[in-house]
């Protein structure tokens, strides 16, 4: 039997099953065959456990837990990519650089590595947003959501905006998931004839393409399966967005 490899990994892929607590995984084993049944990841050579509580709540949500497993720092319930010095909906604290928590994606970028995120929910949802966002409230997925909470979108930059213009977000080579409406203004429709959600008249999809053009990068914006299957092999940056209304846990 070949021994375990101990050399340095070329690539790192983090798979996250949102809501997969120990009881949930145990229930899955029992459902498919009993307590002694093995799931694919049960066969891995190593196992680790983490405590996922928030600083201010015993039961975590997808926001503070994303900050913990992607940034190594615990935050408050509902906050993403910031330390516990930032309370929910506190824009002032959110904008202080010393309160930002860099994700593992940002750390890899600083090392010159390529990074990306792929999700079955909205790319602006709390779990994937932990890769790139720094926000005092997980629900601020578009500027309209910031306005709804009676805050200034120019002071509290929404999560979609941060994905396109933020230091980590704009450097992601692959972005694939749902939530397209958060990038399109209300007065416009997407490729499926569905209206956007933004109130600031900004089309962030257009901004993304212009951003890559200015830098002379090879990019593709993809909105359907056919386009995805025909992405050019030399594409450097890829943004894949579907409409996708719901999805995600916590």
């Amino acid at each position: 039997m070949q021994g375990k490899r101990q050399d340095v990994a070329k690539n790192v892929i983090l798979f996250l099953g949102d809501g997969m607590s120990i009881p949930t995984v145990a229930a899955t084993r029992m459902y498919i065959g009993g307590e002694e049944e093995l799931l694919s990841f049960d066969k891995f050579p190593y196992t680790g456990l983490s405590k996922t509580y928030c600083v201010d709540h015993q039961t975590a949500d997808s926001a503070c837990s994303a900050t913990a497993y992607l940034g190594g720092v615990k935050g408050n319930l509902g906050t993403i990519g910031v330390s516990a010095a930032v309370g929910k909906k506190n824009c002032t604290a959110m904008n202080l650089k010393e309160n930002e928590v860099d994700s593992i994606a940002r750390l890899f970028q600083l090392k010159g590595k390529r990074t990306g995120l792929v999700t079955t929910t909205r790319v602006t949802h709390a779990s994937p947003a932990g890769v790139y966002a720094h926000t005092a409230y997980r629900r601020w997925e578009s500027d309209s959501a910031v306005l709804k909470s009676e805050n200034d979108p120019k002071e509290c930059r929404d999560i979609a905006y941060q994905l396109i213009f933020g230091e980590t977000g704009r450097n992601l080579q692959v972005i694939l998931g749902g939530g397209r409406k958060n990038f399109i203004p209300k007065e416009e429709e997407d490729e499926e004839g569905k209206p956007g959600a933004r109130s600031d008249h900004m089309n962030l999809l257009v901004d993304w393409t212009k951003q890559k053009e200015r830098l002379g990068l090879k990019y593709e914006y993809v909105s359907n399966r056919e386009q995805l299957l025909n992405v050019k092999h030399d594409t450097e940056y890829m943004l894949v967005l579907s409409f996708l209304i719901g999805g995600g846990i916590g």
Side-chain angles (χ1 to χ4, degrees):
M1 180 178 176
Q2 186 177 4
K4 298 185 180 71
R5 295 184 60 178
Q6 302 293 329
D7 50 339
V8 177
K10 180 181 179 182
N11 301 297
V12 176
I13 301 175
L14 172 63
F15 287 91
L16 169 69
D18 205 343
M20 288 179 64
S21 63
I22 291 176
T24 302
V25 173
T28 303
R29 293 193 198 98
M30 287 184 278
Y31 178 78
I32 64 173
E35 283 280 14
E36 296 303 315
E37 193 73 29
L38 292 179
L39 305 176
S40 59
F41 48 84
D42 286 325
K43 302 173 186 177
F44 290 172
Y46 301 106
T47 296
L49 298 175
S50 64
K51 297 178 180 179
T52 59
Y53 61 87
C54 306
V55 169
D56 62 342
H57 279 74
Q58 186 68 44
T59 303
D61 70 337
S62 297
C64 74
S65 57
T67 307
Y69 61 71
L70 291 171
V73 174
K74 288 192 179 296
N76 294 315
L77 191 80
T79 65
I80 305 171
V82 291
S83 72
V86 180
K88 188 185 293 185
K89 301 184 183 180
N90 188 331
C91 286
T92 302
M94 155 186 160
N95 289 325
L96 295 176
K97 192 70 177 176
E98 60 264 32
N99 292 336
E100 291 186 0
V101 174
D102 284 333
S103 74
I104 190 172
R106 182 59 185 158
L107 298 179
F108 273 121
Q109 289 176 355
L110 292 172
K111 291 289 186 179
K113 305 295 184 181
R114 295 183 178 184
T115 56
L117 72 86
V118 177
T119 179
T120 57
T121 183
R122 303 179 304 279
V123 294
T124 50
H125 188 273
S127 295
V131 173
Y132 60 87
H134 307 284
T135 182
Y137 193 40
R138 59 176 291 174
R139 304 295 181 192
W140 289 342
E141 296 186 48
S142 74
D143 71 308
S144 296
V146 179
L147 286 168
K148 188 176 180 180
S149 67
E150 300 182 348
N151 284 279
D152 183 357
K154 291 185 178 179
E155 182 184 358
C156 312
R157 286 300 188 184
D158 63 90
I159 296 172
Y161 183 97
Q162 291 188 42
L163 179 55
I164 302 303
F165 295 106
E167 201 168 29
T168 305
R170 69 172 182 262
N171 286 302
L172 293 171
Q173 269 82 18
V174 175
I175 303 167
L176 190 156
R180 188 164 56 210
K181 69 175 184 177
N182 293 320
F183 298 81
I184 302 173
K186 291 180 177 179
E187 62 271 19
E188 294 184 22
E189 294 181 345
D190 68 5
E191 296 84 346
E192 299 177 44
K194 297 174 181 176
R198 302 193 67 82
S199 301
D200 57 8
H201 312 296
M202 294 183 69
N203 188 320
L204 298 181
L205 305 181
V206 173
D207 289 327
W208 183 84
T209 59
K210 288 181 177 179
Q211 182 186 99
K212 304 312 176 200
E213 286 174 357
R214 283 196 303 269
L215 296 171
L217 300 169
K218 296 178 181 179
Y219 68 89
E220 287 197 51
Y221 165 62
V222 176
S223 62
N224 59 54
R225 183 175 184 273
E226 183 179 356
Q227 292 174 350
L228 182 60
L229 292 174
N230 289 284
V231 170
K232 298 181 181 65
H233 73 279
D234 61 346
T235 297
E236 297 172 297
Y237 286 80
M238 183 173 70
L239 175 60
V240 185
L241 286 179
S242 65
F243 187 77
L244 190 66
I245 297 173
I249 298 173

